[in-house]
């Protein structure tokens, strides 16, 4: 269940002076919903930031990031997840996971890289390139 006391963030974020790329913002909101639904706002932002980091590592757009789930949020929650996506895209929330570009529920896979932080039910880490395994 989402903490409805955080809905106060939505109007300020939706009225941001920044003009978001609508497609990228929607894609990121779908990743956040699919990957961190039910987590704290810090966990949702961490997932968003890791997705952005992964897009940079893969030299692609957020909509083409490999290895993430995407799901359209319920209509009643769509604005909430869009607001989190905008926050992460435009640095309105402090970086909570440094350079982490991957996450897993529970524990980090053995062959993966260095753990950056554990938030809620996710461990965030920097994926090692295949040549470093």
């Amino acid at each position: 269940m989402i903490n409805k006391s955080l809905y106060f963030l939505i109007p300020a974020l939706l009225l941001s002076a920044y003009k978001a790329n609508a497609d990228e913002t929607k894609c990121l909101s779908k990743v956040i919903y699919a990957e961190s639904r039910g987590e704290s706002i810090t966990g949702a932002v961490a997932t968003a930031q890791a997705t952005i980091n992964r897009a940079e590592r893969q030299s692609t757009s957020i909509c083409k990031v490999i290895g993430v789930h995407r799901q359209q949020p319920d209509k009643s929650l769509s604005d909430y997840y869009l607001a989190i996506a905008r926050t992460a895209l435009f640095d309105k929330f402090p970086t909570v996971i440094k350079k982490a570009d991957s996450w897993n529920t529970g524990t980090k896979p053995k062959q993966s890289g260095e753990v950056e932080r554990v938030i809620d039910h996710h461990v965030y880490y920097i994926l090692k390139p295949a040549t470093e395994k």
Side-chain angles (χ1 to χ4, degrees):
M1 188 69 183
I2 293 175
N3 183 344
K4 293 189 184 208
S5 68
L6 297 173
Y7 280 121
F8 74 91
L9 290 171
I10 293 171
L13 294 171
L14 293 177
L15 296 173
S16 169
Y18 294 100
K19 297 294 180 197
N21 174 320
D23 290 339
E24 295 284 298
T25 305
K26 284 180 184 177
C27 288
L28 185 57
S29 72
K30 290 176 182 181
V31 172
I32 298 164
Y33 180 73
E35 297 280 0
S36 64
R37 178 177 53 242
E39 301 285 334
S40 67
I41 193 160
T42 304
V45 171
T47 299
Q49 291 173 345
T51 303
I52 294 165
N53 291 345
R54 186 180 296 188
E56 290 174 2
R57 177 176 53 86
Q58 293 177 356
S59 298
T60 191
S61 73
I62 291 168
C63 296
K64 295 180 180 177
V65 166
I66 297 169
V68 297
H69 295 98
R70 293 172 184 85
Q71 183 178 352
Q72 179 66 42
D74 298 335
K75 193 169 185 129
S76 64
L77 298 173
S78 193
D79 286 343
Y80 176 80
Y81 286 98
L82 282 169
I84 294 170
R86 285 188 184 102
T87 299
L89 283 167
F90 299 108
D91 296 323
K92 293 189 180 295
F93 196 91
T95 301
V96 295
I97 48 107
K98 299 180 186 174
K99 296 291 181 185
D101 59 9
S102 300
W103 60 91
N104 198 39
T105 305
T107 59
K108 176 184 73 67
K110 248 185 200 176
Q111 73 280 8
S112 299
E114 180 182 335
V115 171
E116 287 286 344
R117 188 162 175 198
V118 176
I119 302 171
D120 300 325
H121 299 100
H122 288 99
V123 57
Y124 295 88
Y125 57 96
I126 301 171
L127 186 65
K128 283 185 187 176
T131 56
E132 293 183 25
K133 287 184 180 175

